Amino acid sequence: MSAPTHSRPHPAASGGVGNLLPWWALALPTLAFITLLVLILNPVDAHAAGGDPAITHIVERVQQLIAR
């Protein structure tokens, strides 16, 4: 015996207002990304032990390029 299958009474709507993202759905991840990027590129606030000189050189170079 097989069970009867039921179809949807109303098909799903395509398009419309329900598919729009609220403004904060894009603003918050962008703000978080920029904040983390600034924290990474700001060596004044970093109190970690000395790291690999190559990484330090790359970060300094990125800072110089952004400052231009």
Side-chain angles (χ1 to χ4, degrees):
M1 271 168 87
S2 61
T5 58
H6 300 285
S7 61
R8 289 184 173 181
H10 302 290
S14 60
V17 178
N19 291 340
L20 296 178
L21 288 174
W23 64 270
W24 50 266
L26 294 175
L28 290 180
T30 303
L31 180 64
F33 175 77
I34 291 171
T35 303
L36 290 174
L37 185 63
V38 167
L39 287 174
I40 290 171
L41 295 179
N42 191 0
V44 174
D45 294 334
H47 301 289
D52 187 15
I55 294 174
T56 305
H57 179 70
I58 291 171
V59 170
E60 288 174 356
R61 185 71 177 149
V62 169
Q63 284 179 331
Q64 291 172 356
L65 291 173
I66 291 175
R68 290 184 183 184

